[in-house]
């Protein structure tokens, strides 16, 4: 067995680890306080809320604190910071990707589509549905979305259309990265046609402005179907309109699949409110999640204990200094 000295040493080591957790956590929040205009009281509230959220979602307190730091510096509305962290933590819990990537996606999408008034829950509802309807890996979305948002915003293509397109293309074997490359080229061709493309459009009786407003108002799939109809499916004409071969693959990938199937994917992704929540509820019931949650609870309690110990420790150090 362990003698009193051994037990004492173990207690000191455990105490040291707990204080270290508390210190790391405090440090994260000192950084958060420094970059936001949030009051001390607000930062104090966040400290508590993050530990509670960590307990619920089985995400480490430090990962959540880092996510909060990112969100606080991403220029989000102060009232949106905590709900965005909550949605990101749930998305991480259902296996959508790493906490850091997910907070970045949420902030990027919210900032990219300011008129849409999206909330983080909307973003992850949309992605949850897109992952479910396609064959793409969830974390691939995390890496690739940043590359497509600027052109989508410029072309007036909504976020749910972007996600649904990537999901649809994954069903014909394009991974998300290939899908993003195809979609970027496609939106670029439709939004800013080349001189040669404009000639073909003249022949077909279409103007660039007409195409642009159709893209923004009727959406991507309608625009592609309209072009397919106008060109009579003529590959040379389509290639003149969409010169980039990968983009053309994307166009055919979206129009060649059965229209009913494609429409259904787009509908599911557009009407995805609550999908993150129900996926999280399913995940919560699983044994793997329960195990992660139990182990994470230890971290949460240790962090709380470490935080509580800091003022006592500071007093002790002060006292020793006086002595």
């Amino acid at each position: 067995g362990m003698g009193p000295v051994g037990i004492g040493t173990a207690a000191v080591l455990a105490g040291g680890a707990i204080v270290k957790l508390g210190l790391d956590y405090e440090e994260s929040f000192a950084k958060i306080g420094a970059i936001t205009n949030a009051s001390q009281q607000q930062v104090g509230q966040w400290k508590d809320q993050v530990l509670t959220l960590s307990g619920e979602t089985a995400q480490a307190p430090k990962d959540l604190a880092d996510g909060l730091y990112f969100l606080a510096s991403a220029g989000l509305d102060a009232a949106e910071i905590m709900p965005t962290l909550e949605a990101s933590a749930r998305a991480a819990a259902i296996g959508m990707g790493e906490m850091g990537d997910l907070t970045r996606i949420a902030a990027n999408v919210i900032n990219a589509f300011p008129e849409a008034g999206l909330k983080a829950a909307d973003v992850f509802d949309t992605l949850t549905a897109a992952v479910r309807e396609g064959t793409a890996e969830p974390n691939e979305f995390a890496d690739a979305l940043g590359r497509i948002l600027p052109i989508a915003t410029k072309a007036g293509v909504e976020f749910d259309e972007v996600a649904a397109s990537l999901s649809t293309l994954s069903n014909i074997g394009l991974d998300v990265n290939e899908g993003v490359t195809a979609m970027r080229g496609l939106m670029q061709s439709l939004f800013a046609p080349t001189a040669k493309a404009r000639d073909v459009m003249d022949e077909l009786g279409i103007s660039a402005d007409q195409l642009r407003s159709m893209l923004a108002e009727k959406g991507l799939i309608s625009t592609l179907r309209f072009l397919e109809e106008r060109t009579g499916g003529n590959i040379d004409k389509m290639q003149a309109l969409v010169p980039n071969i990968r983009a053309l693959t994307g166009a055919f990938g979206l129009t060649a699949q059965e229209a009913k199937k494609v429409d259904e994917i787009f509908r599911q992704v557009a009407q995805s409110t609550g999908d993150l929540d129900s996926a999280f509820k399913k995940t919560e019931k699983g044994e793997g999640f329960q195990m992660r949650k139990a182990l994470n609870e230890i971290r949460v309690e240790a962090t709380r204990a470490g935080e509580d110990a800091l003022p006592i420790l500071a007093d002790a150090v002060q006292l020793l200094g006086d002595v």
Side-chain angles (χ1 to χ4, degrees):
M2 227 186 195
V5 174
I7 290 170
T9 309
V12 168
L13 287 174
I18 285 171
V19 167
K20 167 106 175 67
L21 277 174
L23 274 172
D24 287 349
Y25 196 64
E26 280 292 328
E27 205 170 280
S28 297
F29 277 89
K31 270 172 35 187
I32 290 164
I35 57 158
T36 65
N37 47 16
S39 63
Q40 278 303 107
Q41 185 193 3
Q42 174 70 80
V43 174
Q45 263 177 341
W46 281 345
K47 258 189 218 170
D48 282 348
Q49 286 171 323
V50 165
L51 286 177
T52 306
L53 183 61
S54 171
E56 288 166 5
T57 57
Q59 302 303 304
K62 181 87 176 86
D63 292 348
L64 290 181
D66 291 345
L68 185 63
Y69 176 77
F70 172 77
L71 291 174
S73 55
L76 290 186
D77 223 52
E80 278 309 301
I81 291 175
M82 207 60 209
T84 303
L85 187 69
E86 274 174 40
S88 305
R90 287 176 166 212
I94 66 172
M96 189 89 66
E98 296 294 320
M99 196 62 213
D101 292 335
L102 293 170
T103 46
R104 198 171 66 241
I105 284 181
N108 284 349
V109 176
I110 291 168
N111 287 334
F113 296 93
E115 281 80 53
L118 291 172
K119 303 270 185 272
D122 305 325
V123 174
F124 292 120
D125 280 342
T126 298
L127 287 177
T128 304
V131 168
R132 186 189 65 231
E133 298 298 317
T135 57
E137 288 299 317
N139 54 353
E140 286 181 352
F141 275 96
D143 296 336
L145 276 175
R147 290 173 38 225
I148 200 171
L149 294 176
I151 179 69
T153 314
K154 209 157 70 175
V157 176
E158 299 292 338
F159 177 60
D160 61 75
E161 284 190 272
V162 172
S165 300
L166 296 174
S167 180
T168 305
L169 291 176
S170 75
N171 288 336
I172 57 161
L174 295 186
D175 69 30
V176 172
N177 265 311
E178 294 167 324
V180 161
T181 303
M183 292 301 300
R184 276 175 68 183
L186 182 55
M187 288 191 276
Q188 186 67 41
S189 306
L190 299 177
F191 180 73
T194 62
K196 191 178 169 191
R198 282 170 189 264
D199 291 343
V200 173
M201 283 159 66
D202 283 345
E203 263 175 63
L204 299 169
I206 310 166
S207 76
D209 281 343
Q210 183 189 0
L211 209 55
R212 271 198 282 269
S213 56
M214 185 177 268
L215 199 56
E217 284 156 31
K218 294 233 168 79
L220 187 67
I221 292 288
S222 295
T223 308
L224 288 175
R225 286 178 184 157
F226 166 76
L227 287 178
E228 195 184 38
E229 199 182 295
R230 275 294 168 96
T231 57
N234 178 310
I235 284 212
D236 294 331
K237 282 185 179 159
M238 274 303 279
Q239 178 140 29
L241 293 174
V242 183
N244 176 316
I245 189 69
R246 285 174 173 172
L248 195 61
T249 307
F252 287 137
L254 291 171
T255 54
Q257 293 184 62
E258 198 190 327
K260 217 168 68 185
K261 257 192 195 152
V262 174
D263 289 343
E264 182 55 19
I265 293 174
F266 273 70
R267 199 181 64 76
Q268 289 284 352
V269 175
Q271 300 176 358
S272 56
T273 306
D275 282 10
L276 170 67
D277 211 30
S278 55
F280 179 70
K281 286 198 169 83
K282 271 188 207 134
T283 301
E284 254 184 326
K285 294 192 181 95
E287 277 180 24
F289 180 83
Q290 291 300 330
M291 177 69 108
R292 280 199 304 279
K293 195 172 172 182
L295 289 170
N296 191 57
E297 275 298 345
I298 298 169
R299 252 194 228 129
V300 172
E301 287 315 314
T303 304
R304 277 192 210 280
E307 278 225 288
D308 293 343
L310 291 178
I312 301 166
L313 202 64
D315 289 347
V317 170
Q318 177 71 50
L319 189 69
L320 284 173
D322 293 347
V323 170

